[in-house]
Amino acid sequence: MQINLRINHENIRAEIDPDMTLQKFLRSQKYFSVKCGCETSNCGACSILLDGKPVLSCSVLAARAEGHEIETLEGLQKEAEEIGGFIADEGADQCGFCNPGYIITAIALFKENPDPSDEEIKIWLSGNLCRCTGYEGQMRGFIKYREWRNGR
Amino acid sequence: MKELKSVNKGFRKKDAMQLLTGKPVYTDDLVKEPCLIVKLLRSPHANAIVREIDTTEALAVEGIEAIFTYKDIDQNQERYTIAGTSFPEYAPYDRLIIDRHVRYVGDVVAIVVGKSEKCITKAMKLIKVDYEVLPAVLDFHTALDNEILVHPEDNWSAPANFGADVKRNLVAANCSSHGDIDEVLSKCKYVIDRTYHTKANQQAYMEPFTTYCEIDSYGRLHVISSTQIVFHIRRIVAKALGIPGSYIRVTKPRVGGGFGAKQTVVSEVYPAFVCYKLKKPCKIVYSRKECFIASSPRHEMEMHVRIGADENGIIKGIDLHTLSNTGAYGEHGPTTVDLSGHKSIPLYGKQEAFRFTSEVVYTNKQASGAYRGFGATQGLFAVESAVNELASLMKVDPIELRLKNIVKEGELMPAYFNEPLTSCTLDKCLLRARDMIGWKEKGQRRVLDNGKVRTLGVALAMQGSGISGLDVGSATIKLNEGGFYSLLVGSADMGTGSDTTLSQVAAEVLDTDIEHIHVFSADTDISPYDSGSYASSTAYVTGKAVERCALKIRNMIIKTGARMLQADPSECEFDGHKVYCGERSVTLEEVAFTSVIGSNEAIEATVSNSSKTSPPPFMAGACELETDLQTGEVKVIEYVGVVDCGTPLNPNLTRIQTEGGIMQGIGMALTEDVTYTDKGNVVENSFMEYHIPTRLEVDKLWVEFEPSYENLGPFGAKSIGEVVINTPSPAIQEAVYQACGKRFYELPIKAEDIVASQKK
Ligand code: FES
Ligand code: FES
């Protein structure tokens, strides 16, 4: 079947299988920031924005994205660099495989709530698993990013 | 000592921004289209023989390119191991690419190759397999001398002598001792005698096993894989396929976590075989379920510990017996078990005797492999829990008991292959952890107004830094036209940041910024030899190779500069920018230029490094738990860790390593369970059931360092990667005991067990 949607502000028309997940579709279109860590909606590595809200692309059918606006980290490079720099300064990027997923979720969080509490950050990102860092370093990065934003 | 400019500084990782902005850097991002997909049909039985397999219908599915079964593999050929270790291998040769005899639920029955996942899934359902189902050995207690043999075949062999006896399901048996342990323990006033059980934890790296293979422009087989061991893959794939290693090139791009899992050639052989047969590019990407049921988790172990102390609280001896379950294949079986004793018993320096015996057995379960801590984690859970219980028995503080007994710098460690302890600040680590957790102020147990209980627990840990006399790390450094350096290594940065820390070592020696060091790892055609990133070897073994190589390059720069200045090298100095002879100087750019124009001498060097000893890093960990005795819910309020890893090469990265390791240890203690059905199926086969800690589980991690200086390491460094996973399970076991009055000898400690402990 054919779908029409917008990906990173570009109109895309593509031929898909009706049972294809959005995660598989986006990777097939070479949006490689969209990772796959589980396929069972448990890890958050496939997080993307659908109409500005974070969703797990492995749990959405591509067909359901018809007419919607999708954003992946490829389309949010400036924002990713801005937040990411604070994570990098903590050394909390580690293996990096979970990074695009939680960075895009954090971008959405700070867009919605520019001054989230520590607890709000934790809850927003709780669906994004990381096996390398123990989360503490990512949290230090987010707190410093928040301070920097507030002081700007 | 000269002030350090690069080492011990918290630089960003060299690849940080690429990773954080989601650039295509992992194996599956680099695949060239068109690319065939490889998937494995797996056995539903724990022990069975494939009587007949019919692929006719499956092959007719549109898009299917090939299906390989046991009929395509010579069943009588020499077997091989997929454990990534130096040659001659320790693990038994017990694998075939496809074996007619399948030995666990998940063992490979057929390799299916097609244009899309969809057609493969369809084809897999059409493959008809007739199994002769055999009874299976699932309980590792009953494996030894069981009449069911996991490996009855004649072409099983063991290249190294570890006391294996395949006709007894025995993969290895070992014994080492010092003094007369029975005699010593019989004289002890206090003796603890307990048995501990740890299960097959999953590493749960976020990037699943992924391998892409192609025939390159020279007609060679190019394997691109998410791995820790490029050089071992080359040897193992060559043996499995029966082709020369010279025909194979192995490259590792960014790796999305390994933790030891990718020290085994789990996924590489299948696409390599397909690519070699079909001469077409292909890839395999394991599903998360496959990562959980058919890869290389931690060895399940049972440890029987006897530990004794005299009336003055001096620990006189430890007697440890470990039974290890290697599963259906013997990867890393003979070696992991060793660490359960050799990296736990030496913590206590006043022992008059010790004994460490072990057996490793085959069962019809998923084969085990390497996981961060590599046996030490299991052994330390047992020994450190026993020490805590000993303190209770003696009615002394567990920290005081340890301070009296821990090993000290300068001592010889009989249970650590008689190596001398050349650097150690374990006493300082323990004292600092005590203060950080507020041990004295809080007391080990207190009841909150809401009825919940806050308790404290403590434990110690050690590990090694590479494998003594065996591991090799190498570095190649080149000075390039323009005056910047290339650093080539064969170790695998799997997220640890070793590419960056090794660059810091080179930059320090060469008096330059790390921006001028361009690092590359790892490719068997390009990198100098490295046994791989495992056994906590990279910082210490490869790090030293980098230091020595950079020194050599430094001298070569001075030599070329001296020639340009018509001076003697001994009169010249190099400050990173210029070579000086008195007032006269030439710039590094000029030296680099000279070395590439009409030159007979390259400024390029390769240095290999191996170490006769493996200086242990140490750690003290302490936790504060909040337990709800009504519901059994346990919350980690705070976990503090103080580490002696020698000089932290990059304090930011060593800190993150430590925090991550602690979190994995907490998971092992409280949430990560691996159980089997009576048919041999892994129950926890997704992240839905296998609970790794999320952001919400732990309130606070607090990590500090008490650096010793290890003279044999680069700028005083020892390892960091593994030691950090070891303290949580014994510390938490102790704190749970303080809360509920019951000691648990099996992990994970579950809420329902805590609730049950409260019922009279
Ligand atoms: S891949 Fe979608 S949540 Fe894990
Ligand atoms: S950085 Fe490796 S999983 Fe998060």
Side-chain angles (χ1 to χ4, degrees), chain B residues 445-458:
Chain B
R445 183 181 206 272
R446 60 195 204 284
V447 182
L448 303 183
D449 292 342
N450 60 11
K452 292 184 186 174
V453 199
R454 289 274 181 109
T455 53
L456 307 183
V458 65

Side-chain angles (χ1 to χ4, degrees), chain B residues 690-705:
Chain B
Y690 191 80
H691 294 287
I692 68 168
T694 72
R695 253 164 251 271
L696 305 174
E697 251 96 277
V698 178
D699 278 0
K700 186 179 170 196
L701 298 177
W702 181 12
V703 170
E704 296 291 350
F705 294 90

Side-chain angles (χ1 to χ4, degrees), chain B residues 228-248:
Chain B
Q228 304 171 217
I229 42 156
V230 289
F231 288 97
H232 296 328
I233 290 181
R234 184 175 65 187
R235 187 188 64 244
I236 290 166
V237 167
K239 179 155 189 197
L241 270 55
I243 60 175
S246 60
Y247 182 74
I248 302 168

Side-chain angles (χ1 to χ4, degrees), chain A residues 93-96 98-99 130-132, chain B residues 206:
Chain A
D93 39 300
Q94 285 290 92
C95 87
C98 69
N99 294 1
C130 173
R131 189 56 158 173
C132 295
Chain B
M206 279 296 142

Side-chain angles (χ1 to χ4, degrees), chain A residues 35 87 91-100 102 129-133 138, chain B residues 13 15-16 18-20 22-23 25-26 29 204-208 226 252-259 262 288 492-498 653 656-657 664:
Chain A
K35 303 296 183 206
I87 305 288
D93 39 300
Q94 285 290 92
C95 87
F97 203 77
C98 69
N99 294 1
Y102 76 77
L129 296 181
C130 173
R131 189 56 158 173
C132 295
T133 63
Q138 293 174 4
Chain B
K13 271 173 64 198
D15 48 358
Q18 296 292 98
L19 301 181
L20 283 156
K23 295 294 192 303
V25 292
Y26 302 92
D29 307 339
Y205 37 81
M206 279 296 142
E207 180 200 21
S226 177
K252 165 213 84 79
R254 291 296 96 191
V255 173
F259 313 114
K262 294 169 184 172
R288 182 54 62 181
D493 186 337
M494 59 188 124
T496 55
S498 58
L653 300 180
I656 295 284
Q657 285 268 311
Q664 289 183 2

Side-chain angles (χ1 to χ4, degrees), chain A residues 35 42 44 49 51 56 59-61 67 77 97 104 109 112:
Chain A
K35 303 296 183 206
N42 294 105
L49 304 185
D51 299 332
L56 302 173
S59 67
V60 179
L61 288 177
Q77 288 290 292
F97 203 77
I104 201 166
L109 160 65
E112 187 172 306

